[in-house]
C-alpha cells in the first residue's frame, strides 16, 4: 500500500518515463546521462514509495505493468510541469538559453541544418542545439516521452497534445538522370509520373506518402519498380545510376545536384509541395519561445530562396 505522504522525486519519475520509452534499462540510463544502477535505484525507490509495481523485467524484455501503463501519462505530465517551471524561471531574465533538443526528419536535416545552426549560433548564442534526426513517427513518440523538446516535420501532424506552427513551404522537384529528355523543364505536368519509373523511400518516411499523394492528385498510378531507398541520398544515387526518377524537396536541390550527375525539372503550377513546421508538446509551457524560434528558423531557410515563408 502506498504511503499517502510519499512525494515522488523527479529523478524517479524520469527513470520510469525513460524505461517506458526505451524498454531497456541500459538505453534508458544512457538517455538520462546516468549509470544503470542509479536508474534502477531511482525506479525501485519510486515503486517502493508508491507501493505499486510499474515495470517488469525478464531476461528478454522489459514491459510496463497495467498500473505502469495507467500512471505513465501522469508521470509525463509531472515531468513536463517541472520542466516548464524550470524553463519559465530561466526565461524570466534569459529566454532562448540553455539546451534545445531539436528533432528533424531526414529529408529536412541534411539540407537546412548548416544554415539553421549557423544562424541560431549568431542570433541566440546562449542556446545550445542538440540534433536528433529520425522519421516523423519516432520523433512524435520522442516528443510524447520528453526525449526531445521540439521537432521540424511536415505538417499537419494531427497528434493530440501537440502544438504546431507553420514555418515555410517548399516545392517538390523532379530528380532525373543527367541527359533525361525532361531535364531542365519548367512546366512538367504531374500526370507525366504515370510514364516514369518512380523511386520511393521506405515505409515510414513522410516523403514517400507525399510523393504518392502527388500521384493521386494527378490521377495517375505511378510506375513503381522494386527499388526502394532508406534515405533520400540513396534514392538520388539510384536516379543518377539510371534506375528511375524521384521527388526531392526544393531545399535539397542545390546539395543533391552539386555533383553534376543529377538533373531536375519543375512541375507546372500549382506546383506540388509540402509545408514544414515546428511541433512541440502543449504542456511544455514554452509556446512563446518556440514561436520565436520558428520565426527565426523560417527566416533563415527562406533567405536562400529554395522555400517560401508561410
Amino acid at each position: 500500500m502506498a504511503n499517502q505522504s510519499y512525494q515522488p522525486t523527479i529523478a524517479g519519475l524520469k527513470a520510469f518515463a525513460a524505461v517506458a520509452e526505451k524498454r531497456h534499462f541500459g538505453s534508458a540510463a544512457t538517455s538520462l546521462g546516468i549509470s544503470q544502477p542509479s536508474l534502477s535505484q531511482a525506479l525501485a525507490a519510486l515503486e517502493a514509495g508508491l507501493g505499486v509495481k510499474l515495470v517488469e523485467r525478464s531476461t528478454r524484455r522489459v514491459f510496463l505493468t497495467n498500473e505502469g501503463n495507467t500512471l505513465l501519462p501522469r508521470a509525463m505530465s509531472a515531468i513536463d510541469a517541472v520542466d516548464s517551471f524550470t524553463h519559465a524561471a530561466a526565461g524570466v531574465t534569459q529566454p532562448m538559453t540553455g539546451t534545445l533538443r531539436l528533432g528533424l526528419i531526414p529529408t529536412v536535416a541534411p539540407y537546412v541544418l548548416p544554415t539553421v545552426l549557423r544562424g541560431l549560433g549568431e542570433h541566440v548564442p546562449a542556446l545550445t542545439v542538440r540534433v536528433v534526426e529520425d522519421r516523423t513517427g519516432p520523433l512524435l513518440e520522442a516528443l510524447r516521452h520528453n526525449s526531445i523538446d521540439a521537432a521540424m516535420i511536415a505538417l499537419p501532424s494531427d497528434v493530440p497534445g501537440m502544438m504546431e506552427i507553420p514555418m515555410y513551404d517548399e516545392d517538390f522537384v523532379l530528380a532525373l538522370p543527367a541527359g533525361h529528355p525532361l531535364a531542365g523543364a519548367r512546366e512538367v505536368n504531374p500526370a507525366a509520373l504515370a510514364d516514369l519509373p518512380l523511386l520511393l523511400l521506405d515505409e515510414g518516411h513522410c516523403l514517400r506518402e507525399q510523393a504518392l499523394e502527388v500521384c493521386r492528385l494527378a490521377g495517375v498510378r505511378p510506375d513503381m519498380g522494386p527499388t526502394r531507398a532508406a534515405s533520400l541520398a540513396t534514392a538520388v544515387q539510384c536516379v543518377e545510376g539510371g534506375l528511375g526518377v524521384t521527388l526531392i524537396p526544393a531545399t535539397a536541390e542545390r546539395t543533391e545536384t552539386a555533383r553534376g550527375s543529377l538533373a531536375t525539372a519543375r512541375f507546372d503550377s500549382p506546383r506540388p509541395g509540402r509545408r514544414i513546421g515546428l511541433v512541440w508538446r502543449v504542456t511544455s509551457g514554452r509556446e512563446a519561445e518556440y514561436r520565436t524560434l520558428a520565426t527565426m528558423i523560417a527566416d533563415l531557410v527562406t533567405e536562400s530562396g529554395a522555400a517560401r515563408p508561410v
Side-chain angles (χ1 to χ4, degrees):
M1 181 178 296
N3 181 351
Q4 295 298 317
S5 63
Y6 171 71
Q7 294 294 320
T9 66
I10 190 63
L13 293 174
K14 285 188 173 182
F16 171 41
V19 171
E21 178 194 3
K22 302 296 185 181
R23 303 300 169 104
H24 186 276
F25 274 65
S27 298
T30 299
S31 72
L32 294 176
I34 61 177
S35 67
Q36 186 170 332
S38 295
L39 178 133
S40 298
Q41 183 178 3
L43 179 59
L46 177 66
E47 291 180 322
L50 295 175
V52 172
K53 188 71 172 175
L54 301 171
V55 176
E56 291 189 22
R57 176 167 55 171
S58 68
T59 56
R60 293 187 176 182
R61 66 190 184 107
V62 174
F63 57 94
L64 299 186
T65 63
N66 290 335
E67 294 80 4
N69 279 312
T70 299
L71 292 174
L72 179 60
R74 295 180 181 271
M76 295 302 306
S77 294
I79 293 168
D80 269 341
V82 171
D83 286 347
S84 176
F85 176 83
T86 303
H87 289 306
V92 168
T93 56
Q94 290 184 307
M96 301 292 283
T97 62
T99 299
L100 172 74
R101 301 167 298 174
L102 180 64
L104 300 97
I105 54 176
T107 56
V108 166
Y111 310 112
V112 307
L113 266 179
T115 298
V116 169
L117 294 179
R118 183 170 55 250
L120 292 180
E122 294 174 357
H123 295 296
V124 282
L127 182 68
T128 300
V129 180
R130 293 183 180 174
V131 172
V132 177
E133 182 184 33
D134 212 330
R135 291 168 296 166
T136 301
L139 286 180
L140 291 173
E141 280 299 306
L143 272 175
R144 289 191 192 96
H145 290 91
N146 195 28
S147 295
I148 60 175
D149 300 307
M152 287 180 64
I153 64 173
L155 301 183
S157 60
D158 293 329
V159 177
M162 300 291 171
M163 293 189 70
E164 61 184 47
I165 181 169
M167 293 192 294
Y168 61 87
D169 293 328
E170 61 179 337
D171 296 334
F172 289 138
V173 178
L174 183 61
L176 307 153
H180 192 280
L182 290 177
R186 308 297 295 178
E187 296 183 349
V188 176
N189 190 318
L193 292 171
D195 302 317
L196 298 171
L198 182 63
L199 303 179
L200 295 173
L201 298 184
D202 282 339
E203 299 281 353
H205 286 276
C206 62
L207 187 58
R208 171 189 173 87
E209 303 308 318
Q210 292 158 359
L212 292 174
E213 179 66 5
V214 170
C215 294
R216 187 189 70 79
L217 292 175
V220 303
R221 294 176 61 89
D223 176 17
M224 295 182 293
T227 301
R228 292 184 181 177
S231 70
L232 187 57
T234 299
V236 167
Q237 289 173 357
C238 290
V239 171
E240 292 176 346
L243 297 184
V245 304
T246 195
L247 299 185
I248 64 174
T251 51
E253 185 175 12
R254 180 179 299 177
T255 299
E256 296 299 350
T257 58
R259 293 182 296 272
S261 51
L262 183 76
T264 60
R266 297 277 177 168
F267 288 104
D268 195 5
S269 296
R271 292 171 177 164
R274 66 180 181 178
R275 174 164 290 180
I276 300 298
L278 191 70
V279 180
W280 66 91
R281 294 184 307 282
V282 172
T283 55
S284 70
R286 302 176 70 181
E287 180 177 352
E289 185 174 356
Y290 289 149
R291 287 188 177 277
T292 300
L293 178 70
T295 299
M296 287 185 180
I297 293 175
D299 289 344
L300 291 167
V301 174
T302 56
E303 280 177 0
S304 68
R308 303 179 301 280
V310 176

